[in-house]
Amino acid sequence: MTSDDPRPPPRRSFFGALGPNELKGLFWQVLVVGIALAVIVFLWSNTVTNLSARRITTGFAFLGREAGMPIADSLLAYNPKDSYLWAFAVGVANTLRVALIGIVLATILGTLIGISRLSANWLLSRLAAVYVEVLRDIPLLLQLLFWYVLMQALPAARAAWRPVEGVFLSNRGLILPAIPIGAPQLWVLGTAVLGFIAFLAIRRWLVAQQIREGKPRPAWPFAVGLIVVLPAAVSFLLGVSWTIEWPQLRGFNFVGGLTLAPEYFALLIALVTYTSAFIAEIVRSGIQSVPHGQWDAARALGLRRSFMLRQIILPQALRVIVPPMTSQYLNLTKNSSLAVAIGYQDVVSVANTTLNQTGQAIEAIALIMAVFLTISLGISFFMNWYNARIALAER
Amino acid sequence: MTAITDMPDLPRAARRPQIGNPVLRWLRTNLFSSIPNGILTIVLLAVLAKGVIGFVQWGIANAVWLTPANDSSACKAVRGLGACWAIIPEKYRFILFGTYPFDEQWRPALSVALFITLFYLSSRRALWRRELALLWIGALVLTSVLMWGGVFGLPFVSQDRWGGLPVTLILATSGLAFGFPLGILVALGRRSKLPAIRSLSVLYVELIRGVPLVSLLFMASVMFPLFMPSGFNIDKLLRAQIAIILFAGAYLAEVIRGGLQAVPRGQYEAADALGLSYWRKHRLVVLPQAIRHVIPPLVNTFIAFFKDTSLVLIIGIFDLLTTAKTAIIDPAWQQFSVEVYIFVAAIYFVFCFAMSRYSRSLEATSGR
């Protein structure tokens, strides 16, 4: 502002040189930070006094002690003699297990319902609208308790429902046929993952070639070779068996197969159906945000419908869809903490038991918060990266 | 994918001659526009019919509506075949009002009616004036008098006997009433030019939004007593209320921040040119516009928040969901929890659906 002014600025004292606005800013900042610090010091000193009065020692030393709590349903091997630290690890694994599978299923279901709401079929779009409206307007915790009650009301193992051969639904949960995964099978799956990564690199190179030469370069032979043929060959050479293990009723319980415990199954259903209602709305508004002219233009070019959807409509819709979708994924992950209400032992439930057993409230809650902040940051980091990739490149 | 690919082809549809019975034409365009669509319609109709018939059989035809007091034998007889709605007349007073003294339950009932009336009045745009705020303050005072009592000849009822719907409404309403100004302050802080204030606001929002509400409630119920000087003991309900206010503040702050970003720069500059101070600029020029921009998302946040108050079940506060869950512990009625959950779900649904309808009507009218 004053750069055109040839006169030297008038001399001021040190604080005067800051100008009235800076001074006011400084005052407010000192005031707010001061209040924040005072509150923290107040809370901290109270806590220290209270802890010493109740003879609670702080610190994470208790993590090494024997937990002694049972965890019924876990991915990682666990027995009550293990330490609290390991119990927490099992809890985190359980949280991740329900959150990751929940996110995948909720995305699929939500996308289907979102598309259904736009269907030209009146009945389908109305049913989808009712689904969304009902699920969105009832608290998740209530839905969770409802599903859990229904699970418990299912018939006993002997009278289990069999919707499909090999699938059992009873008050012991959902039992599915499974392929036992051990070290040899993991090798084959690992090869498939490596093959997929190699395929992505090759496809990039092919696209670059296509841009340079103007000739289409098909990528699918590489996909088949690296993702299907190569792992199959490895499997054959190592002689890995892929027999399906069918669950069977023996006495009062099932043996074999994959068991989804009632608590896990109820939590998964509740999270997936509830979140899918929100995802459906996001998908619908994303698709509706693509201008109608884009459909017309694609049709005028005579493009195939699938190509049109994949290359023209979806990339534009995704720009609108991805940011709100990120918050839904975060919500689902955070909502998995409701597991504590039905006794599925996720990290919150384990921390709660720990808190009741040891009285280490501060440490237990700090651990919950650390776990969720890490997961939240991880998901938003990944989704931001993905969002940046698909965002509109504007000049 | 069929759903997208058969988006109506407008020009061609317009040219098609509009003849025949309008009902048949409607059926044709909306249900049987193509062979796959027709098959889909028939399959959906079959599934729907099966569901509706099943529900009518269970919920109406075979249901038990009334039984003699505290006698569930008629319900047990139809267990599995029909619903036992008789549990609702049996338990509704406990579900709605918890352990509030039986003879005094007209007081929470009146409080609920007061809340609902004010919600309705607040939804009318013509009434958005200063008087409404005064009316709210008056109503909140009146509710406190009604709920606590101890004056005007009303017997005193301590807070730990409150329960059910009034608790849900109190938690949600006070959460919003106090969370909203907090949210405005934090949103302004996040957009402030002062680095210390900005970083404190960012830290607050991210910390609260990064963790589940359950953990905040745990913190309120187990850690709050540790934070306070010894001898200073505040009620469990109030502790949960504080956690809910802090939670609401962080979420509302983000919505309001979106609104602040939508106010054109020129408005800020015009206010500056008039020589308004920071607070007057925001109070008179910026905030009214910002909030008007984000009314629909604000209502959506209110809905989410109203549902989330049910989480206080986890720390054992007797809100509507907790009373429902407690009502079915009674051994005689234990097996009929589905009916109770449907009843409570319907109450929540009515509140949330009304709000979401309202939000949609606002979106439709504020597009201009």
Side-chain angles (χ1 to χ4, degrees):
Chain A
M1 268 194 288
T2 53
S3 58
D4 295 334
D5 195 350
R7 285 170 296 175
R11 267 169 183 276
R12 289 188 193 143
S13 67
F14 177 73
F15 283 108
L18 282 171
N21 275 332
E22 277 95 342
L23 208 62
K24 222 191 272 173
L26 197 68
F27 166 74
W28 278 108
Q29 299 197 61
V30 169
L31 184 74
V32 170
V33 173
I35 292 174
L37 279 180
V39 170
I40 291 170
V41 168
F42 173 73
L43 296 179
W44 185 258
S45 68
N46 283 332
T47 311
V48 170
T49 329
N50 284 326
L51 286 177
S52 67
R54 295 177 198 194
R55 293 170 207 281
I56 301 174
T57 49
T58 49
F60 288 93
F62 73 98
L63 284 176
R65 279 190 272 150
E66 185 184 310
M69 73 176 95
I71 298 184
D73 187 23
S74 69
L75 273 186
L76 305 172
Y78 172 86
N79 80 65
K81 288 211 164 61
D82 286 324
S83 67
Y84 279 112
L85 186 63
W86 187 244
F88 267 102
V90 171
V92 172
N94 278 351
T95 293
L96 289 177
R97 172 178 167 220
V98 77
L100 288 179
I101 295 177
I103 284 174
V104 172
L105 294 180
T107 308
I108 296 171
L109 186 62
T111 308
L112 286 178
I113 290 168
I115 292 174
S116 301
R117 275 201 79 171
L118 292 173
S119 167
N121 189 315
W122 181 86
L123 190 60
L124 183 62
S125 72
R126 272 311 127 96
L127 284 177
V130 169
Y131 174 93
V132 168
E133 209 60 73
V134 169
L135 286 175
R136 276 201 320 181
D137 287 344
I138 296 172
L140 174 60
L141 184 56
L142 177 52
Q143 297 188 32
L144 176 62
L145 294 174
F146 179 83
W147 289 118
Y148 188 52
V149 162
L150 280 193
M151 290 300 293
Q152 287 173 322
L154 285 175
R158 274 170 174 266
W161 284 354
R162 298 185 190 196
V164 189
E165 195 49 48
V167 174
F168 297 91
L169 191 61
S170 71
N171 59 8
R172 305 253 175 183
L174 179 72
I175 291 115
L176 300 166
I179 297 170
I181 303 281
Q185 285 89 351
L186 278 181
W187 276 107
V188 177
L189 292 178
T191 322
V193 170
L194 283 180
F196 183 69
I197 295 170
F199 165 71
L200 287 184
I202 290 175
R203 201 185 59 170
R204 268 183 96 141
W205 180 76
L206 285 176
V207 169
Q209 286 288 319
Q210 182 180 345
I211 289 170
R212 204 174 313 134
E213 295 170 6
K215 266 187 294 181
R217 297 260 192 154
W220 65 266
F222 292 98
V224 172
L226 287 168
I227 304 170
V228 181
V229 179
L230 184 68
V234 171
S235 165
F236 183 73
L237 285 177
L238 292 177
V240 181
S241 80
W242 295 93
T243 44
I244 298 177
E245 195 182 83
W246 296 93
Q248 272 161 351
L249 185 63
R250 288 241 185 90
F252 292 105
N253 209 346
F254 294 95
V255 273
L258 177 73
T259 304
L260 303 184
E263 291 81 15
Y264 176 75
F265 192 45
L267 183 63
L268 193 65
I269 296 183
L271 287 174
V272 166
T273 50
Y274 183 76
T275 314
S276 70
F278 291 87
I279 291 180
E281 285 297 278
I282 294 171
V283 169
R284 178 179 68 98
S285 66
I287 292 175
Q288 280 180 334
S289 75
V290 178
H292 210 269
Q294 297 284 325
W295 293 90
D296 297 340
R299 226 173 273 134
L301 287 173
L303 298 178
R304 265 184 293 122
R305 296 236 183 228
S306 60
F307 186 85
M308 183 166 107
L309 260 184
R310 217 166 18 146
Q311 302 287 351
I312 294 174
I313 306 302
L314 277 183
Q316 300 186 62
L318 275 181
R319 282 186 197 130
V320 179
I321 289 175
V322 168
M325 203 74 130
T326 309
S327 15
Q328 287 310 320
Y329 290 169
L330 290 174
N331 282 347
L332 189 147
T333 311
K334 282 185 283 172
N335 283 337
S336 72
S337 61
L338 295 186
V340 72
I342 56 167
Y344 172 70
Q345 272 144 320
D346 74 326
V347 63
V348 175
S349 177
V350 170
N352 191 30
T353 314
T354 309
L355 189 160
N356 290 333
Q357 286 178 355
T358 62
Q360 305 279 2
I362 297 178
E363 291 81 358
I365 289 173
L367 278 173
I368 299 181
M369 295 197 157
V371 166
F372 277 96
L373 283 175
T374 314
I375 296 175
S376 298
L377 288 178
I379 292 181
S380 34
F381 184 76
F382 173 76
M383 293 302 281
N384 283 341
W385 167 81
Y386 183 63
N387 191 27
R389 239 185 65 119
I390 61 162
L392 190 61
E394 271 183 308
R395 266 173 275 272
Chain B
M1 286 293 139
T2 54
I4 292 189
T5 50
D6 50 41
M7 281 276 268
D9 199 348
L10 291 174
R12 214 182 298 156
R15 233 180 289 136
R16 197 176 287 151
Q18 304 277 308
I19 44 164
N21 187 327
V23 175
L24 283 180
R25 206 167 61 220
W26 186 89
L27 284 177
R28 209 190 138 104
T29 47
N30 290 307
L31 296 178
F32 299 98
S33 60
S34 64
I35 290 172
N37 239 333
I39 296 172
L40 183 65
T41 303
I42 289 167
V43 170
L44 285 175
L45 277 178
V47 172
L48 195 64
K50 195 161 187 268
V52 169
I53 291 171
F55 185 80
V56 167
Q57 275 180 340
W58 177 80
I60 298 171
N62 296 337
V64 176
W65 296 89
L66 268 177
T67 57
N70 218 3
D71 173 19
S72 61
S73 51
C75 279
K76 286 198 171 120
V78 296
R79 179 161 160 67
L81 301 171
C84 171
W85 300 117
I87 191 174
I88 307 297
E90 179 77 26
K91 299 277 182 196
Y92 80 98
R93 287 189 71 155
F94 180 77
I95 296 171
L96 289 179
F97 305 120
T99 55
Y100 205 90
F102 195 83
D103 294 330
E104 301 291 323
Q105 284 182 356
W106 61 272
R107 285 156 51 181
L110 198 58
S111 308
V112 168
L114 210 60
F115 270 121
I116 294 174
T117 316
L118 274 168
F119 287 145
Y120 175 73
L121 291 179
S122 309
S123 72
R124 304 289 302 270
R125 256 189 186 197
L127 298 175
W128 288 359
R129 290 189 234 160
R130 190 153 299 169
E131 287 88 333
L132 189 64
L134 295 176
L135 209 57
W136 264 110
I137 294 170
L140 289 180
V141 172
L142 193 56
T143 320
S144 324
V145 170
L146 278 172
M147 291 299 289
W148 262 301
V151 281
F152 308 124
L154 299 170
F156 175 76
V157 178
S158 93
Q159 214 159 310
D160 42 275
R161 305 221 30 200
W162 299 8
L165 190 55
V167 168
T168 292
L169 291 177
I170 289 170
L171 284 174
T173 314
S174 330
L176 287 174
F178 293 97
F180 197 70
L182 177 66
I184 290 179
L185 282 182
V186 175
L188 289 176
R190 232 188 138 156
R191 281 173 56 80
S192 156
K193 288 192 202 73
L194 312 171
I197 290 178
R198 196 173 52 227
S199 17
L200 274 180
S201 311
V202 172
L203 195 69
Y204 169 71
V205 170
E206 296 300 332
L207 271 183
I208 302 275
R209 285 171 20 117
V211 299
L213 177 56
V214 174
S215 65
L216 290 179
L217 288 173
F218 273 142
M219 208 159 141
S221 87
V222 287
M223 278 164 74
F224 204 83
L226 286 180
F227 286 159
M228 287 294 125
S230 54
F232 182 87
N233 223 338
I234 66 169
D235 192 86
K236 202 166 158 191
L237 187 64
L238 187 57
R239 296 202 302 254
Q241 181 73 74
I242 292 173
I244 284 180
I245 291 170
L246 291 176
F247 176 78
Y251 278 79
L252 291 172
E254 284 300 276
V255 177
I256 295 166
R257 183 166 72 104
L260 289 174
Q261 283 173 350
V263 176
R265 269 195 74 81
Q267 298 289 322
Y268 289 88
E269 289 166 354
D272 285 337
L274 288 174
L276 296 182
S277 73
Y278 180 85
W279 294 111
R280 281 169 68 89
K281 173 172 79 177
H282 280 96
R283 191 165 59 85
L284 299 173
V285 180
V286 179
L287 278 172
Q289 300 186 53
I291 290 172
R292 197 165 311 145
H293 274 300
V294 290
I295 287 173
L298 274 178
V299 178
N300 289 341
T301 315
F302 293 173
I303 298 175
F305 182 68
F306 183 78
K307 288 184 294 173
D308 279 345
T309 55
S310 63
L311 264 61
V312 296
L313 176 135
I314 286 168
I315 55 170
I317 285 173
F318 272 73
D319 77 323
L320 183 58
L321 187 54
T322 318
T323 50
K325 204 172 174 237
T326 315
I328 47 193
I329 287 176
D330 183 348
W333 299 92
Q334 221 165 24
Q335 300 151 331
F336 308 104
S337 31
V338 168
E339 288 85 343
V340 171
Y341 285 142
I342 290 177
F343 173 65
V344 174
I347 298 179
Y348 275 105
F349 182 81
V350 166
F351 278 98
C352 296
F353 188 69
M355 278 194 273
S356 86
R357 264 299 140 98
Y358 175 61
S359 149
R360 204 146 332 136
S361 75
L362 280 179
E363 257 171 276
T365 53
S366 67
R368 280 166 278 136

